[in-house]
Amino acid sequence: MVIDRDVARFSVGVIGNVIALILFLSPLPTFIRIWKSKSVEQFSPIPYIATFINCALWVLYGLPWVQPHSILVVTINGTGLGIEIVYLTLFLLYSDRKQRTKVFFIVLGEIVFVAILSACVLTFVHGNKKRAAIVGSICMVGNILMYASPLSVMKLVIKTKSVEYMPFFLSLFSFLNGVSWTAYALIRFDAYILAPNSMGTVLALAQLLLYATYYKSTKRQMAEREAKGEVVMAEKSVSGRVAQKPRNDSRV
């Protein structure tokens, strides 16, 4: 039985959409923690800033006037763009003033860049092939930045021997996402999708290996920290009782 290439590509693309959606939603536990604690702690905004511009660029790439027959690229990246807006909004709300200003101006710069690129490509460049070549080349850079963005967190992991601030599911679904879109690009060869996603697969695999390496040491550090906190609370409780003066009631 011969499977039609377009059907196979569409099927793999649907799978890629589902995995990418899970990837975009995987930081939810992180942002629930941020929302509850009203602090971004040591979580880095870089992955979300990089994913924001990456999604915006791929939406542009998938438009019919740039790369026809790429509706699956538009749907998932449009959804991802909305999700990243929510994440970045929470990051802006619960960051300190210095970090909030920095993140705001970076995101603003990304919006201006995508707007100017869209206007220039759709106005001055004629023909889908030329448009796809220009936007696709820039998308490759954006996609590589998205996959490479956890490198700063990986550095922190190696330094602290702890994966507390490197969400496991983000790494896992980054890997699965890279594999699915690499397969999608190979069925009907698309170098602009293939190059960054194959590279992203390797980077995500490196994150998973780091997670496996430092998982036990992370658990040990968290247990020690929790035990230390309990001891401190017990000492405060005891000292509070000692410091409390007994009442001397002289009433008859």
Side-chain angles (χ1 to χ4, degrees):
M1 181 179 178
V2 179
I3 300 175
D4 183 80
R5 181 178 293 184
D6 289 335
V7 173
R9 188 171 189 261
F10 183 81
S11 300
V12 173
V14 170
I15 294 170
N17 267 239
V18 173
I19 293 173
L21 179 59
I22 298 172
L23 169 64
F24 292 138
L25 292 174
S26 61
L28 264 179
T30 297
F31 282 90
I32 290 173
R33 173 174 169 175
I34 289 172
W35 177 66
K36 286 183 176 179
S37 65
K38 310 299 182 187
S39 170
V40 297
E41 301 177 35
Q42 292 188 59
F43 290 108
S44 172
I46 295 174
Y48 313 105
I49 292 171
T51 305
F52 175 80
I53 190 169
N54 180 66
C55 288
L57 288 169
W58 282 110
V59 168
L60 176 60
Y61 178 81
L63 293 177
W65 308 284
V66 179
Q67 183 69 297
H69 313 298
S70 298
I71 186 64
L72 291 175
V73 175
V74 175
T75 53
I76 189 55
N77 284 287
T79 303
L81 187 63
I83 292 170
E84 295 308 316
I85 288 172
V86 174
Y87 290 160
L88 288 170
T89 300
L90 286 171
F91 223 99
L92 288 171
L93 284 173
Y94 298 120
S95 297
D96 58 55
R97 184 175 180 181
K98 182 179 179 181
Q99 189 175 45
R100 183 184 300 119
T101 303
K102 185 178 179 180
V103 171
F104 175 78
F105 281 108
I106 291 174
V107 173
L108 181 62
E110 290 179 341
I111 294 171
V112 171
F113 172 75
V114 173
I116 293 173
L117 176 65
S118 303
C120 290
V121 168
L122 297 176
T123 303
F124 302 112
V125 181
H126 303 288
N128 289 337
K129 287 187 177 180
K130 290 182 179 178
R131 288 173 176 174
I134 294 171
V135 178
S137 298
I138 297 172
C139 282
M140 285 175 62
V141 176
N143 218 10
I144 291 170
L145 287 175
M146 183 189 78
Y147 282 121
S149 58
L151 286 174
S152 59
V153 182
M154 291 169 71
K155 182 181 178 182
L156 179 65
V157 168
I158 295 170
K159 183 179 179 180
T160 61
K161 293 181 171 50
S162 170
V163 293
E164 183 177 0
Y165 295 101
M166 188 175 73
F168 171 73
F169 287 107
L170 183 61
S171 301
L172 175 62
F173 285 103
S174 290
F175 174 73
L176 296 176
N177 185 65
V179 170
S180 61
W181 286 105
T182 297
Y184 178 87
L186 285 171
I187 293 173
R188 178 181 285 177
F189 190 75
D190 189 326
Y192 303 118
I193 296 177
L194 176 63
N197 281 288
S198 58
M199 186 178 296
T201 302
V202 175
L203 288 171
L205 180 60
Q207 293 171 43
L208 291 174
L209 291 173
L210 270 182
Y211 201 94
T213 301
Y214 294 114
Y215 177 76
K216 289 185 178 179
S217 62
T218 303
K219 286 290 185 182
R220 186 169 59 252
Q221 288 181 36
M222 292 177 73
E224 290 173 355
R225 193 164 64 226
E226 186 177 344
K228 186 177 179 180
E230 289 176 354
V231 169
V232 170
M233 289 296 293
E235 288 176 349
K236 286 183 177 179
S237 178
V238 171
S239 62
R241 286 197 297 269
V242 171
Q244 190 176 20
K245 293 181 179 179
R247 291 181 60 183
N248 183 17
D249 199 335
S250 59
R251 289 177 299 174
V252 176

